Amino acid sequence: MYRESRNAMYTLCTITVVSDSPIKAKKAIDAAYAEIKRLEALLNYYADDSEISAINRYAGKSPVKVHRETYELIRKAVRLADATDGSFNPAVGPLVKLWEAARKTPEHPLPSEEEISATLRLIDYSKIHINEGKYEIFLEEEGMEIDLGGIAKGYAADRAINTIKGSGIQSALVSIAGDIRGEGVRNGNKPWIVGIQNPRSTGGESPQADHIISTIALTDAAVSTSGDYERFFFKEGRRYHHIIDPRTGYPTTSRLISVSVVGSEGVTADGISTGVFVLGPERGIALLESLRLGGILVDEDKNVYLTESLRGVIHMLQDEYRIMEHDPS
Ligand code: AMP
Ligand code: MG
């Protein structure tokens, strides 16, 4: 088993592969990181020379021709938006930017109600025009911005696994922060075991530390977690985190603090976890059941809601988290 962590996509990635050859393992890991870097260059909202930035720059002006891959991913994002009733919204960029300014500079005031309502007019994802077959994307209004931050890491995990398999390795685990995909089995025919982070961990380094609330076994599957503890700031006793409710323009108040989604594809698990975070426990569980995805949803009272498929499979390692016997509805 060979493992290497590196920084990419603004976070810590860890890739583990199983191989009988250290040279083959090293090559596969290098190729997977090169793939992640390639996608970062294509999809990075923050880099002026990415294709996403080009689309955003020409909003309201003209369509932009992009690589087929960027085009397909935007199409996928729009389908996920439809599936989540717009809770996952790839056009949420202008709002993300508004809140980011307040998060990054402590003296920065919170966005005003006027700013929020003006910005809400720019996030209508039905105004993302996808020119079938021409690989062109056009944002109808000036000021609109696509942000694929809610699916890019899950997608990159998918592609990295694909790359590793292309190098002739059948067994690997790729984690890009909370977006993880496990392929094949570990040594001894065991599934990959992944921890679900404790959204209210008290920290500490002791072996009894409360870093994870549960573990999940992954064989040819992906798990993505969205949490309010990932990127946030406190102001006047309130937590402002990085997932925005596209209906209100404010960070979500769905009562959920962590959502993990299990599925066969990283890109879907990633987008849906962001969407379910916005939808809340009732609508979130219903959506996951209809899409046949697994879900572990934690609310602010540390109540845990599981999809049917994970009942009896997922157990809590921390006493204060309680698995609810019934659906939230
Ligand atoms: P994740 O950690 O996968 O849940 O993605 C969160 C990131 O997606 C944020 O940092 C934003 O860039 C973006 N984002 C925030 N709110 C939404 C939303 N409602 N729909 C889609 N993307 C969002
Ligand atoms: Mg996501």
Side-chain angles (χ1 to χ4, degrees):
M1 193 140 88
Y2 299 88
R3 172 170 298 164
E4 195 175 319
S5 295
R6 292 188 201 169
N7 276 306
M9 295 196 133
Y10 299 97
T11 192
L12 186 67
C13 308
T14 299
I15 297 181
T16 311
V17 302
V18 179
S19 173
D20 49 16
S21 146
I23 295 165
K24 202 167 153 187
K26 170 83 179 131
K27 268 198 178 152
I29 290 174
D30 282 346
Y33 276 117
E35 177 67 355
I36 294 169
K37 281 285 178 194
R38 185 186 68 81
L39 292 170
E40 186 180 333
L42 216 54
L43 307 174
N44 188 354
Y45 174 80
Y46 301 97
D48 287 340
D49 56 356
S50 71
E51 288 201 328
I52 293 299
S53 293
I55 294 168
N56 293 343
R57 212 161 31 240
Y58 285 95
K61 299 189 186 88
S62 75
V64 174
K65 200 170 179 76
V66 292
H67 280 93
R68 179 170 179 172
E69 193 173 17
T70 308
Y71 170 89
E72 295 293 353
L73 192 59
I74 291 172
R75 249 176 44 160
K76 171 83 181 174
V78 169
R79 283 203 300 271
L80 289 172
D82 285 335
T84 58
D85 206 8
S87 293
F88 171 84
N89 180 337
V92 80
L95 278 172
V96 170
K97 211 153 71 181
L98 200 61
W99 284 100
E100 214 160 53
R103 189 173 76 231
K104 294 219 163 131
T105 332
E107 318 69 71
H108 201 287
L110 293 176
S112 67
E113 270 175 47
E114 292 72 33
E115 279 176 296
I116 290 191
S117 58
T119 312
L120 275 170
R121 285 196 284 275
L122 296 171
I123 66 154
D124 179 354
Y125 75 87
S126 72
K127 293 183 175 172
I128 301 177
H129 295 280
I130 296 175
N131 293 344
E132 291 282 340
K134 287 171 88 181
Y135 303 121
E136 284 179 352
I137 306 288
F138 177 52
L139 306 181
E140 199 176 309
E141 305 281 346
E142 194 174 336
M144 278 182 76
E145 287 189 327
I146 290 183
D147 171 12
L148 298 182
I151 53 167
K153 297 203 293 290
Y155 178 69
D158 287 338
R159 298 304 313 165
I161 284 287
N162 220 55
T163 302
I164 291 166
K165 287 174 81 177
S167 317
I169 287 179
Q170 299 308 323
S171 177
L173 186 72
V174 172
S175 61
I176 306 181
D179 298 292
I180 303 173
R181 182 153 160 189
E183 197 71 10
V185 287
R186 292 182 294 153
N187 299 345
N189 230 11
K190 294 198 192 83
W192 297 100
I193 305 290
V194 169
I196 306 287
Q197 210 171 315
N198 181 348
R200 294 292 180 266
S201 167
T202 51
E205 295 300 326
S206 77
Q208 293 81 30
D210 60 351
H211 295 305
I212 61 171
I213 54 169
S214 180
T215 58
I216 182 161
L218 290 184
T219 310
D220 303 339
V223 59
S224 274
T225 300
S226 293
D228 72 349
Y229 55 90
E230 292 174 279
R231 272 171 275 155
F232 64 93
F233 62 96
F234 276 105
K235 199 150 194 164
E236 286 150 19
R238 216 193 121 178
R239 181 193 290 256
Y240 293 91
H241 61 81
H242 70 308
I243 300 175
I244 310 296
D245 186 335
R247 284 161 302 202
T248 64
Y250 284 81
T252 63
T253 50
S254 69
R255 296 181 38 82
L256 290 174
I257 62 174
S258 172
V259 171
S260 301
V261 172
V262 189
S264 56
E265 271 189 328
V267 63
T268 305
D270 192 357
I272 296 292
S273 73
T274 308
V276 167
F277 201 97
V278 176
L279 285 172
E282 291 85 8
R283 294 179 67 200
I285 288 284
L287 175 70
L288 291 167
E289 298 292 8
S290 76
L291 297 174
R292 297 174 184 278
L293 296 167
I296 305 164
L297 282 51
V298 183
D299 76 12
E300 58 197 9
D301 297 323
K302 299 184 175 170
N303 297 322
V304 179
Y305 303 96
L306 300 177
T307 50
E308 248 346 286
S309 57
L310 295 180
R311 284 180 187 276
V313 176
I314 294 293
H315 305 281
M316 289 297 126
L317 300 171
Q318 310 298 335
D319 291 342
E320 68 269 32
Y321 289 86
R322 290 169 305 269
I323 294 177
M324 299 288 105
E325 298 293 329
H326 301 287
D327 276 356
S329 52

